[in-house]
Amino acid sequence: MRQTIGHDFHLAFEADGEDYVCRVLRSLEGRCKGTFRPPPPVASGDDTGLRQDAEARGRALFEALFHGEVGEKLRRSLKKLEGARSGRGPRRRLRIRLAIDPDADRLASLHQLAWEEMFDPDGDRFLARSSEIGLIRDLELSVPLLDLPGTHPPRLLVVAAEPRGC
């Protein structure tokens, strides 16, 4: 089994009038700051276009977040990982970490967004379903984590269902 090395693309949000400030705190390409304005709701079609509706909503959210310098940092980070994927070395993944302070009232609406639906039109993929990209909602909690008893490192079994025809 090949080892996987994860690289963070860590984003933090702050309130700024009607928009939000989005800061790239950590990436393969350094730090930057941008703006984020949640996209308006995308009208749903009929039941035959569920994927198309999800792509439209996901694309609007992706483009609202990854535009300008923030988008350029993401594209460059992904390109670096593509270059590192050739060969027999460890697999490399990019973890997009969305840090939203749960105690900030002004940021509460960001928790309601369907971040897992983000759709990258350049890569023609939903980020949450990509094998090269992970999407993490990172809650910055002020409560310390407890060291749970048990063996370290923990062993996990992960199962994903993909029925044929869906």
Side-chain angles (χ1 to χ4, degrees):
M1 181 179 221
R2 285 175 60 190
Q3 178 187 11
T4 301
I5 297 175
H7 300 277
D8 283 341
F9 193 91
H10 196 164
L11 297 156
F13 294 89
E14 302 167 9
D16 183 33
E18 288 193 23
D19 292 336
Y20 298 93
V21 172
C22 173
R23 294 183 188 278
V24 176
L25 302 178
R26 189 178 320 119
S27 80
L28 291 170
E29 287 292 312
R31 302 166 73 128
C32 71
K33 179 172 99 171
T35 59
F36 171 71
R37 175 174 282 186
V42 175
S44 296
D46 58 14
D47 288 341
T48 60
L50 293 176
R51 180 182 168 89
Q52 290 84 358
D53 290 346
E55 278 184 22
R57 288 188 307 270
R59 180 179 290 115
L61 186 55
F62 181 90
E63 290 171 351
L65 180 57
F66 295 113
H67 63 89
E69 194 174 357
V70 175
E72 191 57 36
K73 295 270 188 219
L74 177 69
R75 282 186 285 285
R76 283 197 220 141
S77 293
L78 289 170
K79 198 157 282 289
K80 268 190 177 177
L81 290 182
E82 285 173 15
R85 275 193 202 104
S86 60
R88 297 189 161 265
R91 286 183 17 196
R92 301 192 181 271
R93 293 188 80 219
L94 188 68
R95 290 183 300 250
I96 298 175
R97 302 178 71 92
L98 303 172
I100 304 169
D101 183 354
D103 295 327
D105 292 337
R106 180 70 173 84
L107 300 179
S109 63
L110 295 182
H111 290 288
Q112 305 302 316
L113 295 175
W115 296 105
E116 292 76 16
E117 272 190 335
M118 272 200 289
F119 184 82
D120 174 12
D122 295 332
D124 192 31
R125 63 186 167 201
F126 288 97
L127 297 184
R129 294 199 58 196
S130 171
S131 61
E132 295 95 24
I133 300 172
L135 185 64
I136 301 165
R137 290 182 186 229
D138 192 355
L139 296 178
E140 303 283 334
L141 300 176
S142 59
V143 177
L145 295 175
L146 302 175
D147 189 21
L148 299 175
T151 60
H152 292 283
R155 296 176 64 192
L156 301 174
L157 172 63
V158 178
V159 179
E162 290 191 29
R164 291 185 182 150
C166 291

